[in-house]
Amino acid sequence: MSILVAGKLALVTGAGSGIGREVCRVLAREGATVVAADQNIKTAQETVASLEGVEHIALHINVEDRNSVETAFKDVVKQFSKPPTIIVNSAGIYRRNFLTEVDDNIFDDVININLKGTLLVMQTAAKAMIEGNATENSSIINISSIAATRRDVGQSIYSASKAGVIAMTRTASLEFGQFGIRVNAVLPGFIITPMSAIIPDEVREMVIKNIPLQRLGKPGEVAEVIVFLASYRSSYINGASIEVTGGLN
């Protein structure tokens, strides 16, 4: 059996839980060295402790703070003598509010983490790859959401942030493609994660009825798609948005 990302260095944000943690697990299983980056260093360390192999490291990152992102990448390049060539933007927050109840803090938090955070990590990663002459067969995977393309009450700002991720992914794929860096987005549906745990039970049951597969997704099912996009097997996929939703749309 081929190891999909053998010898690659991967950086995953939001690595302390949910989809991010599962992505780290699958990347490690497929031969990558993983930098598990999270605002919560303790949960990032717990992720690293659960991985196959010994090279992996945990790293503190605050994706909405440019200094924090740039420092994180400098630390990785210093430690490994090369930039990461697989980037997974999994850091994100979910807020559910009627539009009339959205205040400046909610707006800023969601946009800064979900959208600006994705921008800062992509921007810093691409610069590090270009400077390190390590762009060939590199891959950036951004996590959007099915909320970006469907209507749902209370998700105006969250949906806007995730739609922004798709738009930014498409343009980044155009700008970075000439260097050999592919950029794609994954749109998870309703996945069993700490983020989805705050959804009320009655809403959850209603959602499951609308999913053709009649169940919520598992983080590992999203992670497998992300690692495929990080690997040579997706070498001509660029600027795509792939839904992992059990058929919900």
Side-chain angles (χ1 to χ4, degrees), residues 34-54:
V34 176
V35 178
D38 200 286
Q39 192 167 7
N40 184 336
I41 188 69
K42 187 169 176 290
T43 57
Q45 286 164 343
E46 286 165 5
T47 294
V48 166
S50 72
L51 302 180
E52 296 175 26
V54 294

Side-chain angles (χ1 to χ4, degrees), residues 178-217:
Q178 62 186 307
F179 300 105
I181 305 169
R182 296 182 297 111
V183 191
N184 293 291
V186 171
L187 282 60
F190 283 85
I191 310 297
I192 303 162
T193 66
M195 201 186 279
S196 68
I198 62 170
I199 297 167
D201 287 346
E202 62 272 18
V203 175
R204 188 187 304 255
E205 281 163 30
M206 214 162 56
V207 165
I208 289 171
K209 281 182 188 147
N210 290 325
I211 299 170
L213 289 184
Q214 293 289 292
R215 65 176 178 84
L216 300 182

Side-chain angles (χ1 to χ4, degrees), residues 5 24 31 72 77 113 125 130 133 154 159 180 200-201:
V5 286
C24 292
V77 172
I113 293 171
I130 292 164
N133 199 23
S159 296
D201 287 346

Side-chain angles (χ1 to χ4, degrees), residues 39 64 91-115 144-145 147-148 150-162 190 193-200 203:
Q39 192 167 7
E64 56 186 322
I93 62 167
Y94 176 79
R95 296 288 180 269
R96 192 180 185 94
N97 303 87
F98 286 119
L99 194 62
T100 50
E101 293 169 358
V102 173
D103 62 22
D104 289 357
N105 289 336
I106 292 167
F107 181 87
D108 290 347
D109 285 348
V110 173
I111 296 297
N112 284 345
I113 293 171
N114 294 356
L115 190 57
S144 176
S145 167
R150 69 192 295 269
R151 297 179 301 177
D152 201 356
V153 170
Q155 290 195 346
S156 54
I157 307 308
Y158 180 74
S159 296
S161 72
K162 292 300 191 176
F190 283 85
T193 66
M195 201 186 279
S196 68
I198 62 170
I199 297 167
V203 175

Side-chain angles (χ1 to χ4, degrees), residues 109-149:
D109 285 348
V110 173
I111 296 297
N112 284 345
I113 293 171
N114 294 356
L115 190 57
K116 183 185 175 189
T118 300
L119 164 73
L120 291 177
V121 173
M122 271 207 294
Q123 188 182 60
T124 310
K127 284 179 181 174
M129 288 178 202
I130 292 164
E131 282 167 19
N133 199 23
T135 58
E136 200 177 334
N137 302 321
S138 294
S139 181
I140 298 173
I141 302 101
N142 297 323
I143 299 190
S144 176
S145 167
I146 194 62
T149 62

